[in-house]
Amino acid sequence: MADAVVLQPDMALAGVCDVSADWRPRMALAKGFALFGATADHAAAMRAVDLAVSGTLDDLLAQADVVVDCTPKRIAAANVEAYRKRGIRFILQGGEKHSVTGHSFVAEASFASAIGRDSTRVVSCNTTSIVRTLNALKRASLLARARGTLLRRATDPWESHLGGIMNTLVPEPAIPSHQGPDAQSVDPDLDVVTMAVKVPETLAHLHYWSVQMTRAATKAEVLDAFRASSRIALIRMDDGLDALNAVKEMMADLGRPHDNLYEVALWEDMLTVQGDELFYAYMVDNQAIVIPETIDAIRALTGLATEAFATMALTDAALGIGALARW
């Protein structure tokens, strides 16, 4: 997120705040970011290992117009009181409940209602992908209802040695899984049900969708609906992009930081239409997909932009989104 903010023409990074004193905050300093400790004790621990700390979270908040809280689930909700007491705008991530901010954000669906608010929640990676794809169909007047199965990676790559699952699959214990209702927190009109299962890999998530359309349509019509979103990239298996690792490898070859796939990568040659029924699958990079959404949320809260597709164009240009269009 800090990298993405620095790339924007209308934003400046006040700094980053952390609780650790290991290699990770050193990366912030190596990039020239001001580093802050969450508390005086955290700042002292950082200084003890020769990290150049500029102060505490309170010092950072005094310099900022908006704070993006990327802390783990439930920690962010506990930080909200401090943000509200100071009167600073804030953005939470999808691990927190909708009720904490009263607003859930995906740029193409809920930008207008976020303008000027004091806070919002950028929904999770999976929910973001659901809202992006279903709203593309909705804008084309093709969406009636949708049913999806999510194959969820077990953990993030950097901590896969600490946990996760091996040699098993773990179903989410309820149907619908939480992503469907979460998508409805962004767009209540969506008729969507999701089912999810954790799988023993760490690269990305894989979604399969069955959609009842409003009418019989051609495959070309459906693909045009998806192409209308800059944040849905149509990829092809016959180009060799036939697995999650192949797509991530292409992100690396494109020079994306952290091999980031900001877009929903949807297989156009797999997509099938049978009358008014639509079937498709896509890949979700859970470390990357919400980054452009969060940038757009900053513009909404601060009033830097007043129209969704205007801020999306700025964000997309800064992050190189659109490079996959030819694929």
Side-chain angles (χ1 to χ4, degrees):
M1 272 310 308
D3 289 336
V5 167
V6 168
L7 291 173
Q8 305 308 309
D10 53 354
M11 298 181 192
L13 181 70
V16 297
C17 181
D18 209 340
V19 297
S20 65
D22 58 13
W23 64 271
R24 288 167 291 180
R26 293 185 189 279
M27 298 302 99
L29 292 173
K31 294 178 179 183
F33 303 161
L35 177 64
F36 296 78
T39 66
D41 287 343
H42 290 116
M46 291 176 177
R47 292 190 180 102
V49 293
D50 297 323
L51 291 171
V53 181
S54 298
T56 66
L57 175 60
D58 284 341
D59 299 315
L60 176 57
L61 294 180
Q63 303 175 35
D65 298 305
V66 59
V67 58
V68 177
D69 193 317
C70 299
T71 55
K73 183 165 56 178
R74 290 183 289 275
I75 293 176
N79 292 337
V80 165
E81 182 179 351
Y83 303 150
R84 288 194 167 128
K85 182 177 180 180
R86 186 176 282 276
I88 188 171
R89 294 181 173 89
F90 61 92
I91 297 169
L92 306 184
Q93 301 300 312
E96 306 308 322
K97 295 184 182 301
H98 172 82
S99 58
V100 179
T101 63
H103 188 271
S104 293
F105 187 91
V106 174
E108 289 167 293
S110 61
F111 182 88
S113 57
I115 295 172
R117 289 182 56 89
D118 65 353
S119 63
T120 190
R121 177 186 73 121
V122 173
V123 292
S124 73
C125 50
N126 284 313
T127 304
T128 296
S129 74
I130 292 167
V131 175
R132 280 188 194 172
T133 51
L134 295 187
N135 264 268
L137 296 172
K138 182 179 175 181
R139 287 193 299 274
S141 300
L142 290 174
L143 178 67
R145 64 181 185 182
R147 305 294 182 255
T149 299
L150 288 57
L151 305 178
R152 301 179 58 205
R153 76 185 195 182
T155 189
D156 291 331
W158 73 271
E159 60 181 0
S160 59
H161 63 297
L162 302 176
I165 60 175
M166 290 291 291
N167 197 36
T168 189
L169 302 177
V170 182
E172 192 153 323
I175 299 175
S177 61
H178 70 273
Q179 293 88 2
D182 201 29
Q184 291 167 330
S185 74
V186 180
D187 185 345
D189 294 333
L190 294 179
D191 185 344
V192 56
V193 175
T194 51
M195 299 171 284
V197 55
K198 290 182 182 178
V199 296
E201 60 90 27
T202 66
L203 281 178
H205 307 303
L206 177 64
H207 287 215
Y208 279 90
W209 283 89
S210 171
V211 171
Q212 182 75 49
M213 295 188 290
T214 54
R215 58 176 174 81
T218 65
K219 180 173 180 176
E221 285 181 279
V222 173
L223 290 175
D224 283 345
F226 286 137
R227 286 192 186 98
S229 170
S230 66
R231 294 181 182 172
I232 299 173
L234 299 181
I235 59 173
R236 297 185 61 85
M237 286 197 164
D238 60 16
D239 281 331
L241 298 173
D242 51 358
L244 305 186
N245 58 302
V247 179
K248 285 291 278 186
E249 187 73 10
M250 189 171 75
M251 296 305 101
D253 286 346
L254 286 172
R256 291 274 184 92
H258 308 289
D259 308 339
N260 281 338
L261 171 64
Y262 302 114
E263 303 91 337
V264 173
L266 190 151
W267 280 281
E268 68 170 292
D269 44 355
M270 184 196 302
L271 184 145
T272 299
V273 175
Q274 296 180 351
D276 62 358
E277 290 185 285
L278 167 63
F279 307 91
Y280 58 90
Y282 60 74
M283 170 181 171
V284 181
D285 183 343
N286 78 328
Q287 294 188 119
I289 190 174
V290 298
I291 291 175
E293 304 298 332
T294 307
I295 293 293
D296 295 331
I298 293 172
R299 290 199 181 97
L301 297 190
T302 59
L304 285 173
T306 57
E307 200 276 326
F309 292 98
T311 179
M312 289 176 63
L314 276 177
T315 304
D316 292 354
L319 297 182
I321 295 172
L324 300 187
R326 65 183 178 278
W327 298 100

